[in-house]
Amino acid sequence: MLRIGCHLSSAKGYLAMGREAVRIGANTFQFFTRNPRGGKAKELDLADIGEYLAFAEEHGLGQILAHAPYTLNACAKDEGLRQFAYETMCDDLERLAHIPGSMYNFHPGSHVKQGVQAGISYISDMLNHIGEHGFSTIILLETMAGKGTEVGRSFEELRAVIDKLEDAGRIGVCLDTCHVFDSGYDIVSDLDGVLDQFDQIIGLERLKAVHVNDSKNPLGSRKDRHEKIGEGQIGMDAFENIVTHASLRHLPFYLETPNDLAGYQKEIAMLRAVRRKADE
Ligand code: FE
Ligand code: FE
Ligand code: ZN
């Protein structure tokens, strides 16, 4: 079974997202835990969550992925901003404990000229503090495009964060196809080679989710501009390999392409058709 969905607006709550997902042929979805540019989360609505869980069970929805706000920077220069990142993540994880099987994805951060080593230390420090709470949700570090001073643009940088953790048992990685392509990993002509590298450096058992996005820009451009599937520099052939690859096919896939719901519906149907053909 292909587990696939797209990014949805969380403004109307969980049940609304669940209904939307089912309507467009998805069996999972991603959402921001709060305004992506920061700010307070809505009050936790346990009735909505209860209704969502019943709906999800009935319709086979699962493995939903919460995305931390972009403003969360675990390796900011300012201590107050680092504290904000920690508190936001704690609050998000406390909420997600109500949704069994969900995962939490975040951008490792931007070191803002403090150097990548300092960035890696701050990120692992935060995760070590988070770990003290014993949250049950799996936390994913997202692979980044490497624009500006982003940490996590190489598998080695993510490995370095993981190496500094006291307990990495609940830490995984989310592979964003646009980001890794923009950071220089050639998933178009050498997907096997890229996944081998991932396995050697991080370990494929840590790979828990895939963001499926085409890229407006060429390999190694470090830009991070998403494009619709098959309409960018990555191209449809590569996505056929990605959704059918033996090392990836069991993972949940989330579209973050520039689309409205109808566009997402089309892309989901297209990728499902690719999988069906491969499985025949
Ligand atoms: Fe992201
Ligand atoms: Fe992404
Ligand atoms: Zn992106």
Side-chain angles (χ1 to χ4, degrees), residues 107-122:
H107 295 180
S110 291
H111 64 70
V112 281
K113 295 190 183 151
Q114 301 171 96
V116 68
Q117 288 313 320
I120 287 165
S121 294
Y122 281 135

Side-chain angles (χ1 to χ4, degrees), residues 205-266:
E205 69 284 352
R206 294 239 181 241
L207 184 53
K208 303 292 185 197
V210 180
H211 282 166
V212 257
N213 305 305
D214 212 324
S215 174
K216 285 194 197 293
N217 293 290
L219 179 70
S221 60
R222 293 194 177 169
K223 284 285 208 295
D224 190 3
R225 299 278 313 281
H226 300 189
E227 183 52 283
K228 294 188 174 93
I229 300 300
E231 295 184 21
Q233 301 286 318
I234 297 178
M236 195 56 206
D237 288 353
F239 287 105
E240 291 187 16
N241 292 334
I242 288 163
V243 295
T244 58
H245 197 282
S247 299
L248 304 176
R249 51 180 297 125
H250 61 287
L251 297 171
F253 294 88
Y254 308 89
L255 294 156
E256 302 173 310
T257 44
N259 270 309
D260 54 15
L261 282 179
Y264 278 132
Q265 184 167 21
K266 248 194 245 165

Side-chain angles (χ1 to χ4, degrees), residues 55-130:
F55 181 86
E57 166 103 39
E58 190 187 330
H59 291 88
L61 283 169
Q63 292 178 284
I64 62 172
L65 183 59
H67 195 305
Y70 294 142
T71 44
L72 188 151
N73 185 3
C75 55
K77 198 163 186 170
D78 180 83
E79 197 192 332
L81 290 178
R82 294 199 301 273
Q83 181 66 18
F84 168 81
Y86 165 74
E87 283 167 11
T88 301
M89 193 177 277
C90 279
D91 185 48
D92 282 348
L93 290 167
E94 239 161 66
R95 292 155 174 274
L96 288 171
H98 295 278
I99 303 172
S102 59
M103 298 190 290
Y104 184 66
N105 174 68
F106 79 109
H107 295 180
S110 291
H111 64 70
V112 281
K113 295 190 183 151
Q114 301 171 96
V116 68
Q117 288 313 320
I120 287 165
S121 294
Y122 281 135
I123 295 160
S124 51
D125 282 352
M126 183 192 69
L127 289 173
N128 280 330
H129 283 132
I130 293 279

